[in-house]
Amino acid sequence: MEKSIKSVELDVYTSQNLSVDDISVLSLLYAPLIGSNALQIYLSLSSMCSKTDHHMYFSSHSALYDTLHMKEQDYLKARFSLEAVNLLNVYAKDDSIMYILYLPQSASQFIKNGVLGIYLNSLIGQDNLNKVLEVFSKNNIDYSEYQNITKSFDEVYSVTNVSKEAVKSERLLEARRAHEVNLTNDSFNMDYFLKNIDTVYLDNYVDDKFKSTILNVATAFNLNADDLISLYNQSIAKNQKFSYVLFKRKARMMFNITTDNAIPSLVQNNVEEDEPKKENKNDLLAYFEKISGKELLAQFDLSNSRNNLMLANIYQDIPYSRTIVNMMVWNVLTRDNDHLPALGYFESMYNTMRDNGVIDEKTAYAYLFNNVTNKEKTKKTNRSLKNVNDPDWVKKAQKTLFDSVEVYDEEN
């Protein structure tokens, strides 16, 4: 635990009162990330600051803990969350600490910039995020049939005898709004990355926005420099310019394939969580359920950036579950393990399986792997399975599968 600061005095400063929109952003977007204690601290400090000089003084942190009815350990953990998302800056001098509170980003900035939107999506899910964002949606106004007749400033006013120096000398209050959250990744070799890409496709060469995007994507999706080089080369749009949208989309696809469709998670450091209970499954369905796309391709020495992204497209476009798609890919590669066929091949395979009554993992396994004897038993218990003959390659696929499952179980 951090050294106790109970006896340390505290000055809190804000720059502007919270608006209704600010409170909505804090409650709906920031709160799932920072937690209820951090939200309470932020709102309480903002409310207690004077509305005239935007300042509040505490003779000790202990007084603040009592006001919040919060233990110091819980308080510090929550305060660190506020610092992490740039809502709070902390300064220390001798036996005194100063807080500077920043207004939250707008809803649009929160979602479009940095990584906060990514982590919020991972916590509450895309459907819930869409519902939350509806709160901040606005109606687009159609100006197409109107003529803009608004008067300009120069048309209405004539300004004379104004000293610009006098205006500059005024101490004007500016709202301190939280800036974009960017991640740091000391292990990412930016120099190596830049030396291995062609920067001619960048509008502004290598500016801060580009470096920040690369570092954020590398950290958020746990990708190395070689991964990012490959993604960069695949993100050159038809206009021969690097596309940030395409780059982030392909990064997410690569993340999906390498983590078995997991999503980034935000976990506060130094917080231990219980390990999830591991099921002791050893059957073939469990094998296809757990194996990642990268591991699946590696069984045939086909795991590379091109095939990983191609398999990501297959996962996204084939209506079956990932488990069934894994079985489909396995059988195809067992027949011809020199290359991964294009999406169209698996679409045709899906249509055939669907027409033959494959509706779930069990019927898919029966269709793809069971021999005739097992299939006849399956047909007696599942009348929806209409397939009558196994493909010629099923015995070879089945033998290879059983051998690989044994190796996979030993390694895992």
Side-chain angles (χ1 to χ4, degrees), residues 5 41 75-83 88 90 97 99:
I5 56 173
I41 293 172
Y75 172 85
L76 289 175
K77 180 180 177 181
R79 196 196 80 182
F80 296 153
S81 294
L82 292 173
E83 296 172 32
L88 174 67
V90 180
I97 290 180
Y99 290 172

Side-chain angles (χ1 to χ4, degrees), residues 370-398:
N370 278 8
N371 56 34
V372 175
T373 302
N374 287 339
K375 180 168 295 179
E376 291 301 322
K377 294 179 181 178
T378 304
K379 289 166 65 177
K380 292 179 181 179
T381 58
N382 189 345
R383 297 300 179 182
S384 65
L385 183 62
K386 301 178 182 178
N387 183 53
V388 293
N389 292 311
D390 282 310
D392 295 336
W393 40 265
V394 74
K395 290 184 178 180
K396 177 183 176 183
Q398 190 175 28

Side-chain angles (χ1 to χ4, degrees), residues 268-293:
Q268 188 164 349
N269 292 334
N270 301 321
V271 177
E272 295 183 357
E273 293 185 342
D274 294 333
E275 288 284 338
K277 293 182 179 180
K278 296 183 179 179
E279 297 180 1
N280 189 22
K281 291 184 180 179
N282 196 32
D283 56 55
L284 296 178
L285 284 178
Y287 168 77
F288 283 116
E289 177 184 352
K290 293 179 179 179
I291 192 170
S292 69

Side-chain angles (χ1 to χ4, degrees), residues 99-156:
Y99 290 172
I100 306 295
L101 290 179
Y102 290 84
L103 294 177
Q105 297 184 62
S106 67
S108 176
Q109 290 173 323
F110 185 98
I111 295 300
K112 293 180 180 179
N113 299 333
V115 297
L116 295 181
I118 295 175
Y119 288 130
L120 181 61
N121 185 22
S122 76
L123 286 177
I124 68 175
Q126 187 63 55
D127 290 341
N128 289 328
L129 179 58
N130 290 338
K131 292 178 182 177
V132 169
L133 293 181
E134 288 179 3
V135 175
F136 304 100
S137 64
K138 62 179 181 180
N139 296 326
N140 292 325
I141 302 175
D142 184 7
Y143 303 102
S144 60
E145 298 182 359
Y146 292 81
Q147 179 183 0
N148 189 345
I149 59 173
T150 307
K151 299 293 184 182
S152 67
F153 182 86
D154 291 338
E155 289 179 294
V156 179

Side-chain angles (χ1 to χ4, degrees), residues 358-375:
V358 175
I359 57 175
D360 54 25
E361 282 83 359
K362 290 184 179 180
T363 54
Y365 177 78
Y367 178 87
L368 293 170
F369 294 110
N370 278 8
N371 56 34
V372 175
T373 302
N374 287 339
K375 180 168 295 179

Side-chain angles (χ1 to χ4, degrees), residues 294-307:
K294 186 175 183 179
E295 291 171 329
L296 179 59
L297 293 174
Q299 296 286 342
F300 301 90
D301 295 324
L302 293 175
S303 180
N304 54 51
S305 296
R306 176 184 175 278
N307 287 337

